[in-house]
Amino acid sequence: MSETPQPQTPTRVSAVSLVSAVSVIVIAYNDAAHVGDAVRSALAQGEAVGEVIVVDDASGDTTPEVLAGFADEPRVRPLIRRENSGGCGTPRNDGIAAAVHPYVLFLDSDDLLLPGAVDGLLAVAAERRADVVAGICVRRELPEGRETVWAPSLYDVSQGATLPGTVLDGVEEHPEFVLDTLSVNKLYRRDFLDRHAIRFPDGAFHYEDFVFSARVQAAAPRLAVTDVPVYVWHVRRQAATLSISLRRASLANWEHRIAAHAAVLDVFRTAGRPALARAAQTKFLDYDLPMYLRELPQRTAAYRADWWTATRAHLAGFEAEAVAGAQAPSRWLHAALMALAVVPEGWELTRFVELAAPLPRLVPPYPRAGDGTPVLAAAPADVPLEGLAEIAPAELPVAVDGSVTVGASTRLTLTVHDLYGRVAELRPTAVRVVFTERVSAVEVELDAPLLPTDEGWTATVSLPTAKLLRAGRLAAWSLRAELRCATGTIGNAEVRAPQGAVDRRGMVLGRLGRVLLVQVVASARRGLVLRFAGGVVGARQVVSGRFRRLLAMR
């Protein structure tokens, strides 16, 4: 049973109960550049952290020397493994075994704990008598610094999350919680982990968090959910060695993810939690599958073929009830994978990829089966778009194409496609175009009327290009279109580049003779992206070699 939400300002517990309550377990491997910052972020939590156990997984760099630099800090306990484990599970298990305090908290060597995280989590744990307290993890993209809340549907109240402030006696009444597969944003009562023999998979097992989190959830903990900011997850896409979650260009990465998900299902079923197993399958369809599918055009033909085969084999065991619980685009993709033994190419693959976008869209043309039924894939598959007629207007996967002309003004022309008649029946009248700057998340909104055409509707917006510049750096803008009708919003579509890999680069003359460097590109999922830099900034970046291609002229 879940309890009534409570205010999110944590009640302070007594100073006595805060002293030496938590063992922070840091794992490190060849990360001398960052591990010191991670340890310092744990020590900065104050007296509540009784020890920082740093498990060095047989690093070959200067990580041991960095740890030796904490010799005068009695709370830092280095554990040096002589043989690399091949994964993250074994060193975390070593840390749990060595911990002596009532609670444990996990921290990776390239991440940080936020100030006040431990006090906030402990206060909630004491007040709500919780075995586990889950808080907010912030994903920080580096070097840009853009931040987003992990699993916003669970934790971000500004995005409609309702769980913060509640206590769950087990998660089966809120099976959506299986979406949170992280281990690092939670405080665990150590005797709860020991009592249920909950540990990470050992050895070279990737996505070990998935299995550990499933074991925790299967044990029906008293789980308090809070909006206390806990953890900064650094996403370093330009690192020399990418984290496991960023190595998606390797087929082995997908195979590891499938293996971890299969282990999750086994955990739930063995524990007699069939509802959680179904929820985990639904989560896979709505989250894991689209994330990899939309990147298929970037992969080799051999990768695509093997990925398709491995995915079909995994999905074949999914329960009908789990598939039915997924969002409509995910159900359609599942049906297509099951119907097509061989990975499609060309237009059909593009259609699947764009349906897997974060804002799903069905792109034209719009085929129908012989009986007139809308279908996702052409014959012989004829995958029906079941449930299309019932999708709420605000969630329709509308396709909006865009073309851009840049000078002193930036002019965007939109084409809105009808969606098997669903858009026309709602009688759209206007569009709001939202330009979002990717680093700062600043938005610029423009409205325009929609005019009917043979292909659907069209609209044009323009604004001074100077409004899209950001002093001292490159500015990158993504575009979104919100369609309006008399009854409200129709869809929320990412503006797409209809021909795919657009890459127009050059210089234009802005106001007062200012030189602007401009690049119009399409993202991997065909989203239109505009990049701008002022002449001085752009020239400096070109000289440094970072954006030399910006000046290349077609």
Side-chain angles (χ1 to χ4, degrees), residues 23 25 51 53 55 79 90-99 104 106:
S23 298
I25 298 169
E51 60 182 354
I53 301 171
V55 185
L79 298 182
T90 297
R92 286 198 186 119
N93 290 340
D94 289 348
I96 297 172
V104 296
F106 301 109

Side-chain angles (χ1 to χ4, degrees), residues 36-60:
D37 291 337
V39 171
R40 282 185 284 273
S41 78
L43 293 172
Q45 300 295 314
E47 292 183 349
V49 172
E51 60 182 354
V52 182
I53 301 171
V54 189
V55 185
D56 176 13
D57 201 6
S59 293

Side-chain angles (χ1 to χ4, degrees), residues 35 37 93 117 125 134 145 174 193 234 270 283 303 334 352 388 397 399 442 449 488 505:
V35 65
D37 291 337
N93 290 340
H174 289 277
L193 299 180
H234 285 140
T270 301
K283 173 259 182 186
Y303 176 105
H334 173 269
F352 295 168
L388 175 62
V442 167
R505 305 177 297 275

Side-chain angles (χ1 to χ4, degrees), residues 249 293-300 303-304 349 523-525:
L293 195 155
R294 59 180 173 252
E295 296 177 350
L296 283 186
Q298 305 171 52
R299 312 301 181 216
T300 65
Y303 176 105
R304 291 197 294 270
L349 180 59
S523 68
R525 56 180 183 265

Side-chain angles (χ1 to χ4, degrees), residues 20 61 64 66 98 119 123 141 205 217 227 258 275 283 295 332 347 370 385 431 493 500 503 505 539 545:
S20 301
D61 67 352
V66 173
D119 281 359
E141 299 271 352
F205 189 102
Q217 294 160 6
D227 59 3
I258 286 177
K283 173 259 182 186
E295 296 177 350
W332 300 337
W347 170 76
L385 296 173
V431 62
D503 191 356
R505 305 177 297 275

Side-chain angles (χ1 to χ4, degrees), residues 120-149:
L121 292 174
L122 274 175
V124 174
E127 179 186 357
R128 311 310 295 272
R129 297 173 286 105
D131 299 311
V132 181
V133 183
I136 288 179
C137 170
V138 176
R139 281 174 54 99
R140 180 181 293 163
E141 299 271 352
L142 297 176
E144 297 89 350
R146 182 167 59 95
E147 295 185 349
T148 55
V149 173

